[in-house]
Amino acid sequence: MPGPSIAEIFNSTSPDFDLVTPLVWGPAGETLVARARVSLGDRVLDICSGTGASALAAARVVGPDGHVTAVDFAADLVERGRTSAYAAGLRNIDFRVDDVTALPGRERGEYDVITCGFGVFFLPDMDDSVRNLLPLLHPGGRLAVAVWHDDALHDFTGAYFAEVARVTNTPPPPGPRAPSDGPPHPITRIDTEDKIVGWLESIGAENVSASVLDLRVPRTDEFSWSMVLGSGLRGALADLDADTVEDVRVGFLQRLADEGITEVDCDTLIAVGDRPAD
């Protein structure tokens, strides 16, 4: 039986996704918008928007004369983002359920900025998918992406997958940096400043720069489990019953404590490049 789709996994995270926002998605989204130099009157496309951390930040900046289009394939997350925008009184943002690899309006250059927080490595073909977004920018428009930096979450996810393996009596899944005969995991191709600058240049962006947002979150039981349930890590629990999930939760939190992990490394790499002028 096939496992759950990416959309199904992220729809299942929706009750917990926002619990992580104040400490991770929110600061990263605000910084992404700032480093993308979003300004008054801009038209912004935010892809893989989740519940809208960067889209809502952009909407607050562009003002009533600007507009933000937020796109994600997880309908439950999109609905939560739409609700948050309404509650905040933001009427300059449109949340849509859509496939970012097949957006209409290509070649029209209708956006000033495209942003993507923690999403490019989930796209089916990262290079072609992002390369094909560039024509949606006007010449000189900016593309800005946020990804996990280098060893972000390394110890945290290592403890989590080790506990899933223990409880289910299965081998832990290989990490993205494990040796492989196949192509490298997309994350490993863009997880340092040099790598992500080279990657954006290779798909056609110019004037590319990258910098790191230092983001360390104190490790508490509440945050640690919310980070699992409110992110793609939840996928490892998809086929487990409630009692088994509880065994994973208890063992995981104990393992973090036993290993002396006092903070969670959520360092975020943010890169910005321009669409070349015609």
Side-chain angles (χ1 to χ4, degrees):
M1 178 180 296
S5 70
I6 293 291
E8 289 170 332
I9 290 170
F10 277 98
N11 276 326
S12 70
T13 72
S14 60
D16 304 280
F17 201 97
D18 279 341
L19 295 177
V20 182
T21 294
L23 295 172
V24 181
W25 315 131
E30 295 277 356
T31 306
L32 176 63
V33 167
R35 295 186 184 174
R37 306 189 305 282
V38 175
S39 58
L40 278 171
D42 278 350
R43 298 186 65 82
V44 179
L45 172 65
D46 185 73
I47 66 167
C48 308
S49 59
T51 60
S54 50
L56 294 169
R60 289 190 289 269
V61 172
V62 301
D65 293 330
H67 189 268
V68 177
T69 301
V71 178
D72 200 290
F73 54 20
D76 290 356
L77 297 184
V78 167
E79 184 57 34
R80 293 180 80 89
R82 187 178 291 124
T83 300
S84 294
Y86 186 83
L90 295 169
R91 302 296 184 261
N92 59 350
I93 184 169
D94 175 29
F95 279 89
R96 291 173 18 201
V97 178
D98 210 337
D99 177 359
V100 302
T101 67
L103 291 174
R106 295 198 187 283
E107 306 294 345
R108 296 195 319 196
E110 60 186 294
Y111 296 104
D112 300 289
V113 184
I114 295 175
T115 52
C116 181
F118 304 104
V120 292
F121 38 75
F122 288 119
L123 297 174
D125 185 319
M126 185 173 71
D127 292 12
D128 282 347
S129 294
V130 179
R131 182 185 292 113
N132 290 337
L133 290 171
L134 284 174
L136 295 177
L137 290 165
H138 68 68
R142 296 173 300 286
L143 169 68
V145 299
V147 300
W148 298 117
H149 179 241
D150 203 12
D151 287 333
L153 298 176
H154 181 267
D155 294 340
F156 182 86
T157 56
Y160 170 65
F161 285 117
E163 197 57 30
V164 172
R166 184 192 66 80
V167 170
T168 60
N169 195 29
T170 58
R177 293 169 181 81
S180 171
D181 294 332
H185 192 288
I187 292 177
T188 67
R189 297 178 49 220
I190 54 173
D191 61 0
T192 69
E193 291 166 273
D194 287 344
K195 286 182 186 176
I196 201 166
V197 167
W199 173 68
L200 282 174
E201 290 175 342
S202 75
I203 63 171
E206 63 181 18
N207 303 321
V208 182
S209 62
S211 55
V212 178
L213 168 65
D214 295 326
L215 190 55
R216 306 297 174 97
V217 180
R219 186 201 64 76
T220 65
D221 288 353
E222 180 181 19
F223 171 77
S224 298
W225 194 238
S226 293
M227 188 66 188
V228 167
L229 297 183
S231 71
L233 295 172
R234 189 186 186 116
L237 306 175
D239 296 326
L240 307 183
D241 61 37
D243 288 341
T244 305
V245 170
E246 178 61 11
D247 285 347
V248 171
R249 186 189 70 82
V250 171
F252 168 57
L253 298 178
Q254 186 60 53
R255 187 182 289 264
L256 290 174
D258 291 345
E259 294 182 1
I261 298 174
T262 60
E263 64 179 12
V264 182
D265 179 347
C266 296
D267 287 357
T268 299
L269 178 62
I270 296 173
V272 182
D274 299 340
R275 176 187 169 182
D278 290 341

